[in-house]
Amino acid sequence: GAVVSQHPSWVICKSGTSVKIECRSLDFQATTMFWYRQFPKQSLMLMATSNEGSKATYEQGVEKDKFLINHASLTLSTLTVTSAHPEDSSFYICSASYGAGLNQPQHFGDGTRLSIL
Amino acid sequence: SQQGEEDPQALSIQEGENATMNCSYKTSINNLQWYRQNSGRGLVHLILIRSNEREKHSGRLRVTLDTSKKSSSLLITASRAADTASYFCATGRIDSGYALNFGKGTSLLVTP
């Protein structure tokens, strides 16, 4: 149980294109999901916390207008990279916690590799 | 901001040997978690240890936690080639709905 599905797994597109990434909790409801970004051979950096039915909370330095997050249901959060440029190329990973409370592990999607030409 | 720091950054061992990775963190925690990431994939949760626990086991994994030193270790016994991956420690951030702060990770290579 507690499966998180992320789609697509790989995107290659031209500069200026907007790209939408979906994160779904398949067998549980997630009021909160998280979006991380990972550069090659580096750790994960939190971009934003996605809250169902309300605005996302962005980390300092993350452009809200560049990375649009929508969490319209308890099982789906989307990240849209608007007008993507080569510097937005990265590995994007979402996660969700199964169950309430602080001492819960997070379950991760398989990530989306975004390459902007 | 990053909370944990793992060492070593890279570790290469042979099958059958034990692998030990260490993690240090900076602030008070409720729990510390270890995750594994295969190349180009998402993270898989390995083990969670609460702040009032000192040691936890799961199969070939053994995690210790020393809150006085703000450090944790992950021991993988009798390693296998399939254990080759990056391993991250992570601590929860109460200020952002329990998002995780990840360490820099240890890249483990297990050769047959």
Side-chain angles (χ1 to χ4, degrees):
Chain A
V3 176
V4 174
S5 174
Q6 191 171 338
H7 178 80
S9 56
W10 197 295
V11 181
I12 301 174
C13 58
K14 294 181 179 179
S15 185
T17 306
S18 291
V19 178
K20 179 184 282 188
I21 303 170
E22 294 187 347
C23 180
R24 295 181 183 272
S25 55
L26 296 186
D27 51 0
F28 67 102
Q29 294 183 332
T31 54
T32 303
M33 292 184 176
F34 307 98
W35 288 95
Y36 297 86
R37 183 173 180 175
Q38 185 179 32
F39 290 103
K41 299 190 183 301
Q42 294 191 25
S43 188
L44 282 75
M45 299 296 293
L46 179 68
M47 297 177 64
T49 300
S50 173
N51 304 298
E52 188 268 335
S54 64
K55 292 182 179 180
T57 304
Y58 290 82
E59 292 297 291
Q60 192 172 9
V62 177
E63 299 177 57
K64 300 179 183 180
D65 295 333
K66 161 68 80 173
F67 300 100
L68 300 179
I69 291 173
N70 183 281
H71 195 153
S73 76
L74 288 170
T75 59
L76 174 64
S77 174
T78 60
L79 168 67
T80 301
V81 184
T82 61
S83 188
H85 292 286
E87 59 266 29
D88 298 322
S89 298
S90 190
F91 192 56
Y92 294 87
I93 312 176
C94 70
S95 73
S97 291
Y98 172 65
L102 182 59
N103 292 311
Q104 299 292 337
Q106 287 191 14
H107 300 274
F108 286 80
D110 265 347
T112 297
R113 186 163 304 283
L114 176 62
S115 296
I116 308 298
L117 305 177
Chain B
S1 61
Q2 296 216 320
Q3 168 78 301
E5 294 278 340
E6 284 98 332
D7 77 271
Q9 290 189 348
L11 180 61
S12 181
I13 59 175
Q14 291 189 318
E15 273 192 322
E17 295 181 335
N18 296 341
T20 300
M21 289 160 263
N22 303 298
C23 166
S24 61
Y25 57 93
K26 297 176 183 176
T27 61
S28 297
I29 61 171
N30 288 93
N31 66 70
L32 186 142
Q33 304 179 34
W34 285 91
Y35 288 83
R36 164 192 166 135
Q37 183 181 33
N38 286 81
S39 180
R41 303 294 298 273
L43 276 71
V44 175
H45 178 259
L46 295 177
I47 200 162
L48 181 153
I49 186 166
R50 300 186 184 205
S51 59
N52 61 353
E53 297 176 310
R54 292 296 167 259
E55 188 171 309
K56 204 162 183 180
H57 297 256
S58 177
R60 293 184 295 111
L61 306 180
R62 172 177 170 258
V63 168
T64 63
L65 179 65
D66 187 335
T67 53
S68 66
K69 296 181 180 178
K70 291 186 168 59
S71 67
S72 173
S73 68
L74 170 67
L75 168 67
I76 303 175
T77 59
S79 63
R80 306 166 181 169
D83 294 328
T84 295
S86 292
Y87 292 83
F88 295 92
C89 69
T91 55
R93 291 179 44 177
I94 298 174
D95 64 340
S96 67
Y98 312 138
L100 295 175
N101 268 333
F102 285 89
K104 293 181 179 179
T106 293
S107 178
L108 174 65
L109 174 64
V110 182
T111 54

